[in-house]
Amino acid sequence: MTVQAASTALAPAAIGARVVAFIVDVIVLAIVQTLLVSIVGDTTLVGGLTRAIIFAVVGFGYFGYSWTAWRASPGQRILGLVTVNAVDGSTLTWNQATKRWAFLFGPGVLNSLFQFGGLSAIVTLIVILYGIYLLYTAATDPLKQGFHDKQADTMVAVKAS
């Protein structure tokens, strides 16, 4: 079975639904991060780096666990979407979840670490352009696989009834 043959059996999720699911997930993570900021109240450079690392770990746990345990993040579940192995539609492995998360959020994590130097504006611009690139690649691909999906052999699909 080829990747193309297996993937076409799944109905790719529309970009609009993916964006809305992402916004829901960002809201959930923002609430968690707000609570964490109140715990790690240190406003020094060390405190900022500590928060950035904690936020990255929490974000990875949130998405990694939900993709491997539920096949979807909470935002995706609300909209009836699943993130699956593009080859056969199976649940993601931790390796796939890690790759997908790294290609999707890795640049943002690096950006949060560079917020404390003179490069922050340049790095922020690069991260924004990368996000636009990911959205573009997902929107223009026949199976709606963005660059991050192709790197991890994943696909966001409409959940089968």
Side-chain angles (χ1 to χ4, degrees):
M1 178 182 303
T2 66
V3 172
Q4 186 74 11
S7 296
T8 55
L10 299 169
I15 295 303
R18 289 177 69 165
V19 169
V20 171
F22 181 76
I23 291 169
V24 170
D25 290 324
V26 166
I27 291 168
V28 171
L29 282 172
I31 292 168
V32 171
Q33 289 178 348
T34 300
L35 295 172
L36 290 174
V37 165
S38 67
I39 295 168
V40 183
D42 184 0
T43 58
T44 65
L45 175 64
V46 172
L49 290 173
T50 302
R51 278 192 305 280
I53 292 167
I54 291 170
F55 291 169
V57 170
V58 169
F60 173 70
Y62 176 87
F63 285 103
Y65 177 80
S66 62
W67 290 333
T68 59
W70 303 328
R71 299 170 49 109
S73 68
Q76 290 173 327
R77 290 180 74 176
I78 290 169
L79 292 166
L81 307 178
V82 290
T83 300
V84 296
N85 183 315
V87 175
D88 59 11
S90 64
T91 301
L92 297 189
T93 64
W94 269 102
N95 187 40
Q96 284 178 297
T98 301
K99 280 184 186 177
R100 187 172 198 275
W101 184 86
F103 279 97
L104 190 56
F105 299 108
V109 170
L110 291 176
N111 183 41
S112 68
L113 297 175
F114 280 103
Q115 289 302 310
F116 309 102
L119 296 175
S120 65
I122 294 169
V123 175
T124 298
L125 178 62
I126 292 168
V127 170
I128 290 169
L129 292 173
Y130 180 72
I132 292 168
Y133 171 72
L134 293 181
L135 189 58
Y136 173 79
T137 57
T140 58
D141 185 78
L143 297 175
K144 304 300 181 212
Q145 287 179 287
F147 175 74
H148 57 293
D149 290 309
K150 290 188 183 277
Q151 299 309 306
D153 292 324
T154 63
M155 175 180 184
V156 179
V158 178
K159 185 176 180 180
S161 301

